[in-house]
């Protein structure tokens, strides 16, 4: 789980052990002219612990599902992190001064004997080594029966929504003991369940609008001004299926694993198993752009079904100007698509290729016939190496890519 904050100076990552690691971008200095852009560890803290639900006899994993930054209001930074059940609001703040010269206690912290206090001292602030503290400010619990798959901070900066398989809740950041259920698709009889919610996101500028995607490949746009319970959508985005390409796997691969609004708010992007689609919010019947991520896997769906890879949930992201998009694939490949030129590129995140300041070479996958020297054949792709999470700096060409156990940060080659 990766997320740049609004300035791009911090990058938060969450892992399976419930830890959040925050990286901070180094400022360029005269004696280290190339250090600009390097991200170094800024703070590490344990966000979630493993729990046990005694009512359902279920273990609740500590694994972090999503991290979202709040816009910065003062010197401190705030972020939301969630596992399957509990969302926490964390405050990350810096301390580089400490008070000395207390009246009631000694410098080592022990309380002084009242009889020894003969004069009044004014405490002074002394410089100390920089300490970064992470403290939990709010815990939003007990509102989800199913696993939380999304959290999204609203543009009013006061509310956020959280989504699980069947419900979406709206929270106020200051109120932990209640949330409003704004979408509920749970049928009266669970045997009639035909789809689940896979992702949800607030509109970047209109705080009353949000979208959620489903396992049936549809996206619903809802307006909270229309009704308190958004069980009737305002817009419904769905691409009609081509009957000629229908197969046993059609429904599984049409499930949407991620939905993201463009920064402008005019478009949204959805990721399904084989492609990324860009939708204009004013056009519901089909996407305006479709990009094939790894079309060569269409003939391999049978084996991908058998090894469960077909259920992998890939995320996608926009660059800061909405002109390019990025998403991950297998073999530690990730794909970038330029929306203006329609050019695309496949790059690989690997230890061999990621020497500092090394140029990434484009990769090509060959599907049949004779393999060229620098191509890799479909049959030798490693499906255990996958890039599910990617993030793009909001202002610059800096990207972060999470491979199985490694985080890679790449940036545009300057001069």
């Amino acid at each position: 789980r990766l997320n740049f904050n609004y300035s791009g100076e911090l990058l938060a990552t969450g892992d399976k052990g419930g830890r959040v690691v925050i990286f901070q971008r180094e400022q360029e200095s005269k004696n280290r002219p190339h250090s600009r852009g390097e991200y170094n560890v800024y703070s590490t803290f344990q966000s979630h612990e493993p729990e046990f639900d005694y009512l359902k006899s279920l273990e609740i994993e500590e694994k972090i599902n999503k991290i979202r930054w709040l816009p910065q209001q003062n010197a401190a930074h705030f972020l939301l992190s969630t596992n399957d059940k509990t969302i926490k609001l964390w405050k990350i703040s810096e301390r580089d001064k400490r008070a000395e010269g207390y009246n009631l206690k000694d410098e080592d912290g022990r309380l002084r004997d009242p009889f020894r206090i003969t004069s009044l001292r004014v405490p002074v602030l002394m410089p100390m080594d920089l300490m970064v503290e992470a403290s939990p400010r709010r815990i939003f619990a007990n509102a989800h029966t199913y696993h939380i798959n999304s959290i999204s901070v609203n543009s009013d900066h006061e509310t956020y929504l959280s989504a699980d398989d069947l419900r979406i809740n709206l929270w106020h950041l200051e109120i932990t003991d209640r949330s409003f259920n704004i979408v509920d698709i749970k049928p009266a009889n669970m045997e009639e369940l035909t789809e689940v919610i896979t992702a949800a996101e607030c509109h970047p500028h209109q705080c009353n609008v949000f979208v959620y995607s489903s396992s049936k490949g549809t996206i619903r746009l809802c307006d909270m001004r229309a009704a308190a319970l958004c069980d009737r959508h305002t817009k419904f985005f769905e691409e009609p299926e081509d009957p000629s390409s229908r197969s046993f796997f059609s429904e599984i691969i049409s499930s949407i694993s991620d939905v993201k609004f463009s920064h402008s708010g005019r478009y949204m992007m959805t990721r399904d198993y084989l492609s990324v689609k860009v939708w204009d919010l004013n056009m519901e019947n089909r996407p305006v752009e479709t990009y094939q991520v790894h079309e060569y896997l269409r003939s391999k769906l049978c084996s991908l079904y058998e090894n469960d890879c077909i259920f992998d949930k890939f995320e996608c992201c926009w660059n800061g100007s909405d002109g390019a998009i990025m998403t991950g694939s297998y073999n530690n490949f990730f794909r970038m698509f330029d929306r203006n030129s329609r050019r695309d590129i496949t790059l690989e995140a690997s230890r061999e290729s990621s020497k500092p300041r090394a140029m990434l070479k484009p990769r090509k996958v060959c599907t049949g016939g004779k393999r060229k020297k620098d191509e890799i054949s479909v049959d030798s792709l490693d499906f255990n190496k996958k890039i599910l999470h990617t993030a793009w700096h909001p202002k610059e060409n800096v990207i972060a890519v999470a491979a199985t156990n490694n985080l890679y940060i790449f940036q545009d080659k300057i001069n």
Side-chain angles (χ1 to χ4, degrees):
R1 317 298 175 200
L2 303 175
N3 208 301
F4 282 101
N5 72 341
Y6 284 73
S7 67
E9 292 302 301
L10 298 176
L11 169 69
T13 66
D15 68 13
K16 287 186 173 155
R19 272 191 331 162
V20 172
V21 181
I22 299 173
F23 297 87
Q24 184 183 42
R25 195 173 194 185
E26 290 296 315
Q27 298 303 317
E28 192 167 18
S29 58
K30 282 198 174 71
N31 46 4
R32 293 184 65 210
H34 290 295
S35 65
R36 172 82 180 127
E38 276 183 23
Y39 282 82
N40 292 317
V41 175
Y42 175 66
S43 172
T44 303
F45 59 93
Q46 190 70 28
S47 174
H48 288 70
E49 305 280 354
E51 293 171 62
F52 193 79
D53 183 336
Y54 291 98
L55 286 174
K56 298 202 182 79
S57 293
L58 278 179
E59 281 188 60
I60 302 168
E61 289 184 11
E62 65 272 40
K63 174 171 76 81
I64 306 287
N65 288 352
K66 281 282 186 295
I67 295 177
R68 290 287 177 266
W69 291 93
L70 272 59
Q72 193 175 358
Q73 313 279 6
N74 51 30
H77 298 274
F78 287 87
L79 62 81
L80 290 166
S81 66
T82 184
N83 66 350
D84 285 340
K85 297 286 181 204
T86 305
I87 305 158
K88 295 185 181 181
L89 174 68
W90 289 89
K91 177 185 182 182
I92 292 96
S93 50
E94 293 184 354
R95 270 217 335 235
D96 60 357
K97 290 186 176 63
R98 66 163 185 264
E100 279 184 10
Y102 288 104
N103 288 291
L104 301 178
K105 58 183 181 182
D106 288 322
E107 298 313 328
D108 59 5
R110 282 186 299 197
L111 285 173
R112 295 171 69 186
D113 184 351
F115 298 109
R116 283 176 43 222
I117 304 171
T118 53
S119 60
L120 185 65
R121 295 197 288 179
V122 178
V124 289
L125 288 174
M126 301 294 285
M128 61 177 245
D129 288 345
L130 178 68
M131 261 176 63
V132 181
E133 294 178 318
S135 50
R137 300 312 298 260
R138 308 259 186 289
I139 294 178
F140 307 89
N142 308 327
H144 284 279
T145 315
Y146 307 97
H147 290 181
I148 297 171
N149 57 43
S150 306
I151 45 177
S152 179
V153 179
N154 209 340
S155 59
D156 59 12
H157 304 164
E158 286 184 1
T159 56
Y160 73 92
L161 54 85
S162 60
D164 65 27
D165 294 346
L166 298 180
R167 297 195 178 101
I168 300 176
N169 292 330
L170 181 72
W171 301 83
H172 194 286
L173 282 161
E174 299 289 328
I175 301 167
T176 56
D177 58 356
R178 63 178 181 272
S179 62
F180 293 97
N181 180 219
I182 52 174
V183 172
D184 187 347
I185 64 165
K186 184 180 179 183
N189 176 5
M190 278 297 267
E191 285 173 10
E192 292 165 13
L193 183 68
T194 57
E195 63 180 331
V196 293
I197 297 167
T198 54
E201 193 179 52
C202 298
H203 190 280
H205 312 303
Q206 297 165 4
C207 59
N208 51 291
V209 172
F210 68 95
V211 292
Y212 67 93
S213 58
S214 93
S215 55
K216 278 195 161 172
T218 60
I219 307 104
R220 292 171 175 84
L221 181 137
C222 302
D223 188 338
M224 288 186 268
R225 293 176 303 188
L229 186 67
C230 301
D231 48 2
R232 283 204 293 275
H233 47 264
T234 311
K235 291 185 176 185
F236 183 76
F237 300 84
E238 181 176 30
E239 184 167 32
E241 195 190 13
D242 176 8
S244 66
S245 66
R246 183 152 181 84
S247 76
F248 169 75
F249 303 108
S250 295
E251 252 180 50
I252 303 175
I253 62 172
S254 66
S255 174
I256 292 171
S257 54
D258 197 15
V259 56
K260 292 268 175 35
F261 278 108
S262 63
H263 296 80
S264 67
R266 164 90 190 262
Y267 301 97
M268 67 178 171
M269 159 170 60
T270 58
R271 170 74 209 257
D272 56 44
Y273 190 64
L274 293 177
S275 65
V276 172
K277 293 171 180 158
V278 175
W279 303 78
D280 188 318
L281 290 193
N282 303 320
M283 191 166 101
E284 297 166 60
N285 57 344
R286 61 189 170 86
V288 286
E289 298 157 30
T290 301
Y291 301 97
Q292 301 303 334
V293 178
H294 35 218
E295 186 60 24
Y296 46 79
L297 295 182
R298 198 177 281 278
S299 59
K300 296 258 175 284
L301 292 176
C302 209
S303 55
L304 289 163
Y305 178 75
E306 283 165 10
N307 65 13
D308 275 357
C309 283
I310 201 166
F311 302 107
D312 285 336
K313 293 176 169 54
F314 291 97
E315 294 174 3
C316 51
C317 62
W318 299 86
N319 75 340
S321 64
D322 298 336
I325 56 187
M326 170 170 62
T327 190
S329 177
Y330 293 104
N331 209 64
N332 278 1
F333 287 173
F334 57 99
R335 305 267 285 135
M336 294 165 130
F337 303 94
D338 186 305
R339 295 180 58 208
N340 302 321
S341 67
R342 290 303 176 102
R343 295 218 312 266
D344 64 89
I345 189 169
T346 305
L347 298 169
E348 180 183 6
S350 72
R351 289 214 153 151
E352 293 72 60
S353 65
S354 62
K355 303 274 188 295
R357 275 174 273 297
M359 288 287 279
L360 285 180
K361 286 204 242 348
R363 302 299 306 256
K364 279 211 165 48
V365 176
C366 116
T367 46
K370 205 162 180 326
R371 188 166 67 89
K372 295 202 184 95
K373 180 168 106 310
D374 52 353
E375 290 183 337
I376 179 166
S377 90
V378 177
D379 299 315
S380 55
L381 293 174
D382 186 343
F383 292 106
N384 293 319
K385 293 181 176 169
K386 48 193 111 173
I387 288 180
L388 302 178
H389 314 293
T390 57
W392 208 311
H393 189 293
K395 301 187 178 79
E396 297 172 36
N397 272 338
V398 176
I399 57 168
V401 169
T404 320
N405 291 326
N406 299 305
L407 170 70
Y408 297 92
I409 297 174
F410 302 107
Q411 64 174 345
D412 243 5
K413 208 166 171 72
I414 309 150
N415 54 42

